[in-house]
Amino acid sequence: MSPIVGIDLGTTNSLIGAMDAGFPILLADAEGERLTPSVVHFPPTGEPLVGRAASRMRALEPAATVYSAKRFIGRRVGEAADEVGFALTGERGAPMRMRVRGHDYAPEEVSALILKKLRADAERALGCEVTRAVITVPAYFNDAQRQATKCAGELAGLTVERIVNEPTAAALAYGLDKLGDRSKVAVFDLGGGTFDISILEFNEGVFQVLATNGDTRLGGDDIDEALIADFKFQISNLSPEAHARLREALVMAKHRLSSEDEARIELPFFSGNESFARTLTRAELERIARPIVERTRAHCLRALQDAKLTPADLDDVILVGGQTRMPLVREFVRGMFQREPNVSQNPDEAVALGATIQAGILSGAVQNVVLLDVTPLSLGIETFGGLMNVIIPRNSTIPIKAGEMFTNAVAGQRAMLIKVLQGERELVRDNWALGEFKLAFEPAPKGHARVGVQFEIDANGILHVLARDTKTGAEKVVAMTSAVDVSDEAVEKMLEESLEHAFEDMSDRVFVEARLKSDELLPAVRQALAQVGAELDDTERALIAQRVAEVEAAIAAGAGQPLKRANTALDDATQRLATILIERAMGT
Ligand code: ADP
Ligand code: MG
C-alpha cells in the first residue's frame, strides 16, 4: 500500500509531509527546502518551472508567471476581482482561466503542476511511489472550490483521500485534540495574502468550526508593499529589475527582524554604478506594519461574536501562517485574546503537519481522532412558488445525509427540475444557485408523483444530490460542480441579509404559500359552482362571490396574512357547496 501524504496547498507556499515511524514529518525538496512557493513559470519552450525557480522569474516575466492560483480555483469570472500580473480570461460566469503565452490554463491545472512537484519531491524523499493524499483548503471554501482542489490532485496523479479544513489541520498539529472535551480554540492564520480567523470546538473526538471570519486580501504581502513604498522614496528611477531586487532584500530583512532588532539592507550596483545600503530597525518595521496588523481586529471580534464567546472562554489560541512569526503580530494576538498565544509549532508548517496527521489517521497509523466540520450555509432545493426548501440546515456536522419527498405541481408533468440552492433566505431568488438538473418521471395526476431528493455531503465537504422517482426507481446522482461566491465575506453578508430581511422573508413565504392555496381553491370553487351551484340559495351564492372577490383582492395586494385569512373564509363559505358536490359524486 502506498503511503498517504499530507499537503498544504497554500496561496503563497505549499508543503508536503508523510508519516514516518509513527511521526508526522515534512519532506524537503532536492535543495533541502520544505517550503515551495506556489508559483509556476511558463518558459517559451520546455517544461514549466515550479517553486523557487518560478518565483525568481516572477519579476522578470510577470505575464508568464502564475501565482496565487488558489484565489481562482473553482471560481467563475466576475466573482473575484483580483489584480494579478498575468492575464485572466473567460466569459462572465464561466470558470476562471489564466492566459499565458497564448495558452489558457484552468487554475486547477496550475495547482496540479505545484502538486506534481511536491509529489516528485516526496517520492524522492520517501523512495517509493506516492499516489494518495490529504489536501487542505480554507474553512470557507465552497463546494466548487473543494471539487476543483480535488481535481487538481487528480490531475497530478493523486487520489485525494480527504479534503481537510486548514484550521482543523492546524489544531491537530498543535495537539489540541488532547485538550479534552468541549475545549474551544482560536486559530489565527496570517499568511502571505490572506487572513483567516477560526474558532473551533473539540467535542467527543471531533473538531467543529464554530465560526470563521477573515479577509482574503490581507497578509504579509501588504507589509512587503508598505515597506517597498517607504523605501522607494529614497531611490530614483527604479527599473523593474531593481524593484524586484529591492523587494527580495526587504522581505529578507522583514524575516530577519522577527528574531533580530536590526537588519542591514545592502544592494551593490543597485542602479547603474550606485550601491544602496541602509539599516532597517524592528521599530521602523513595526511602525509600517502596525496599521496592517490592526486590520485583523474587527474580524477576530466578529468571529468571537458569531461563536458567542469571549476571549476568556477560549482554552487556547494558536498561530498559523508565516507572518505570525513577527513579534508585533504575537503582541497583537496577546492583547486581542488576553492570553499568551501558543507558539509551540512552526506557524507556516502547522497546516501541512496536521494534514499529515490526518493522512496518518486515514491509513490507520494514528488513532482516536475523527475530524468533522460543519456546513457554513444551508442547502436545499426550489419548491413551488419560488420558495427555498432547506434539506441540510446551516451548521450541520458533516458528513451528513438528508432527504425529503416531493411531488408534482401539475398533472401529467413528465419531469421535475431539481434546482440546488445554498443560502439562508426564504425566496429562491435571494439564495445562490449551485446547479440544476432534470429528473424524468411517469406522468401522474397532480400531487401523485413521488420524487425523493437526497443530499449527501461527504467527508470532503462535497455535495452529492440524488433524485429518484420512487415509482419507477429511475434516479440521477449529480455532484455539484458549478461555482458560487462563498467567500467568508459572502457567507457573512448572506447571514446579515437573512437577519435583516427575516420579517420580510417570513411574510413573503406566507404570501407564496397562501397564493398556492388560492390557486387550488379558486378553480375548485368555480367548478363546483358550475356543477351544483343551482342547489344553493341566493344568499349563499352571494356570500361565496364576496369571499372569492376578497381572495382576488388580497392576491392583487400581495398581502400574505390577509390572503391566508381570505382563503380560510372562502373555505368556510363553501363548506355546503363541497358537501353537495361529494354527495352528488357518491350518488346519494
Ligand atoms: P500562505 O498560507 O499564504 O501560503 P505562509 O503561511 O507560508 O503563506 O506565509 C507567508 C508569509 O509569511 C509571507 O508574507 C512571508 O513574508 C511571511 N513570513 C515568513 N517567514 C517570516 C518571518 N520569519 N517573519 C515574518 N514574516 C514571515
Ligand atoms: Mg496557509
Side-chain angles (χ1 to χ4, degrees):
M1 202 73 169
S2 87
I4 309 179
V5 291
I7 298 176
D8 170 5
L9 185 59
T11 311
T12 321
N13 293 302
S14 298
L15 300 95
I16 189 164
M19 294 299 291
D20 185 20
F23 289 99
I25 53 151
L26 297 180
L27 305 170
D29 63 11
E31 296 167 50
E33 299 282 347
R34 293 193 293 242
L35 237 57
T36 294
S38 306
V39 184
V40 177
H41 173 76
F42 296 89
T45 56
E47 292 295 302
L49 301 175
V50 179
R52 258 171 310 283
S55 209
R56 281 191 287 269
M57 294 305 293
R58 183 171 153 190
L60 303 176
E61 276 193 281
T65 313
V66 177
Y67 58 92
S68 290
K70 188 172 175 175
R71 290 192 187 281
F72 307 104
I73 203 159
R75 317 211 69 188
R76 292 180 173 254
V77 180
E79 276 178 9
D82 278 88
E83 263 194 39
V84 281
F86 46 91
L88 296 171
T89 62
E91 304 254 312
R92 216 186 147 72
M96 193 97 88
R97 297 174 77 81
M98 17 205 70
R99 176 163 296 170
V100 181
R101 296 192 196 280
H103 188 291
D104 284 356
Y105 298 90
E108 50 267 44
E109 291 177 88
V110 175
S111 294
L113 292 169
I114 298 166
L115 291 171
K116 255 188 203 151
K117 170 177 178 343
L118 294 173
R119 181 180 169 212
D121 288 340
E123 289 183 334
R124 198 188 33 75
L126 296 170
C128 66
E129 207 194 1
V130 170
T131 55
R132 303 159 74 201
V134 166
I135 304 180
T136 58
V137 296
Y140 58 77
F141 254 30
N142 70 18
D143 201 53
Q145 290 167 300
R146 285 166 197 264
Q147 288 270 16
T149 303
K150 205 169 169 198
C151 170
E154 277 151 17
L155 289 174
L158 294 165
T159 305
V160 181
E161 303 281 344
R162 190 68 64 91
I163 296 276
V164 178
N165 283 342
E166 286 164 13
T168 310
L172 201 55
Y174 272 89
L176 299 188
D177 48 308
K178 313 280 183 317
L179 278 180
D181 254 10
R182 302 208 69 87
S183 52
K184 295 168 190 70
V185 298
V187 182
F188 184 100
D189 181 349
L190 190 60
T194 58
F195 169 63
D196 299 305
I197 174 79
S198 317
I199 311 235
L200 311 181
E201 184 178 75
F202 189 70
N203 226 341
E204 290 169 21
V206 304
F207 281 111
Q208 292 196 356
V209 182
L210 295 184
T212 81
N213 211 288
D215 185 341
T216 49
R217 329 228 109 282
L218 174 61
D221 295 348
D222 296 291
I223 297 177
D224 303 346
E225 281 313 316
L227 258 182
I228 293 165
D230 203 68
F231 267 74
K232 264 205 227 162
F233 278 121
Q234 308 168 30
I235 306 159
S236 50
N237 291 331
L238 207 56
S239 68
E241 288 78 17
H243 192 278
R245 275 181 70 196
L246 179 65
R247 170 192 295 274
E248 201 176 324
L250 287 173
V251 172
M252 268 170 57
K254 177 185 84 169
H255 291 187
R256 277 208 306 281
L257 288 173
S258 289
S259 52
E260 285 152 42
D261 289 331
E262 279 185 8
R264 184 91 183 135
I265 294 149
E266 282 178 345
L267 295 163
F269 307 112
F270 186 55
S271 57
N273 279 331
E274 282 185 55
S275 297
F276 179 84
R278 234 205 72 180
T279 300
L280 182 68
T281 65
R282 187 187 282 179
E284 282 173 285
L285 172 65
E286 290 187 345
R287 176 182 56 74
I288 291 164
R290 185 163 275 121
I292 296 162
V293 177
E294 268 301 323
R295 283 169 55 199
T296 62
R297 185 183 299 278
H299 300 289
C300 295
L301 290 172
R302 276 308 298 266
L304 283 169
Q305 204 177 34
D306 285 353
K308 300 191 181 61
L309 296 176
T310 64
D313 298 324
L314 297 172
D315 296 282
D316 208 349
V317 177
I318 62 173
L319 296 181
V320 179
Q323 193 57 51
T324 65
R325 287 180 186 267
M326 185 186 219
L328 176 73
V329 174
R330 300 186 169 190
E331 178 195 312
F332 170 85
V333 173
R334 191 180 302 124
M336 171 75 234
F337 293 98
Q338 292 152 45
R339 71 175 57 241
E340 218 35 68
N342 185 339
V343 294
S344 63
Q345 295 294 323
N346 284 333
D348 35 16
E349 295 182 344
V351 170
L353 208 59
T356 303
I357 298 173
Q358 173 66 14
I361 294 171
L362 288 180
S363 62
V366 181
Q367 274 154 12
N368 296 331
V369 206
V370 200
L371 295 181
L372 286 190
D373 292 308
V374 297
T375 52
L377 291 172
S378 301
L379 291 159
I381 67 169
E382 170 166 358
T383 54
F384 307 145
L387 289 179
M388 159 90 162
N389 184 304
V390 171
I391 294 184
I392 297 182
R394 164 180 149 69
N395 271 333
S396 300
T397 302
I398 57 173
I400 187 173
K401 223 188 240 183
E404 227 174 289
M405 278 296 194
F406 294 90
T407 187
N408 52 335
V410 183
Q413 197 179 327
R414 298 185 157 270
M416 187 184 270
L417 181 66
I418 312 278
K419 217 168 166 185
V420 181
L421 305 163
Q422 187 170 32
E424 304 310 312
R425 301 291 298 279
E426 296 281 352
L427 298 186
V428 167
R429 60 154 199 262
D430 296 320
N431 289 309
W432 296 312
L434 285 185
E436 57 181 53
F437 64 95
K438 264 201 182 131
L439 179 78
F441 55 73
E442 270 191 358
K446 179 181 171 184
H448 279 244
R450 288 277 172 272
V451 174
V453 175
Q454 182 187 279
F455 277 26
E456 180 176 5
I457 305 180
D458 63 21
N460 298 322
I462 289 168
L463 172 66
H464 304 269
V465 179
L466 175 145
R468 181 188 289 139
D469 179 352
T470 54
K471 220 164 168 191
T472 61
E475 64 175 32
K476 230 180 203 176
V477 188
V478 177
M480 285 295 130
T481 49
S482 46
V484 288
D485 183 12
V486 191
S487 63
D488 41 355
E489 297 120 85
V491 169
E492 199 176 306
K493 191 153 164 273
M494 169 63 79
L495 295 180
E496 261 166 25
E497 281 174 359
S498 72
L499 286 178
E500 225 170 83
H501 298 284
F503 287 109
E504 262 170 63
D505 274 12
M506 256 333 279
S507 63
D508 280 346
R509 175 173 275 267
V510 169
F511 178 73
V512 171
E513 281 171 356
R515 172 77 209 247
L516 289 169
K517 169 99 176 136
S518 316
D519 286 351
E520 279 178 11
L521 207 53
L522 291 175
V525 169
R526 285 198 188 100
Q527 205 186 348
L529 281 175
Q531 283 180 282
V532 295
E535 293 183 30
L536 300 177
D537 56 41
D538 284 351
T539 31
E540 277 177 311
R541 269 200 303 273
L543 181 68
I544 293 175
Q546 192 193 328
R547 296 288 180 249
V548 165
E550 282 164 9
V551 168
E552 284 168 341
I555 292 176
Q561 289 297 346
L563 181 56
K564 215 171 142 184
R565 281 194 295 273
N567 281 336
T568 313
L570 176 59
D571 225 358
D572 289 346
T574 52
Q575 279 306 319
R576 220 171 78 77
L577 185 65
T579 314
I580 296 172
L581 197 66
I582 291 167
E583 282 168 356
R584 169 79 62 91
M586 295 178 68
T588 52

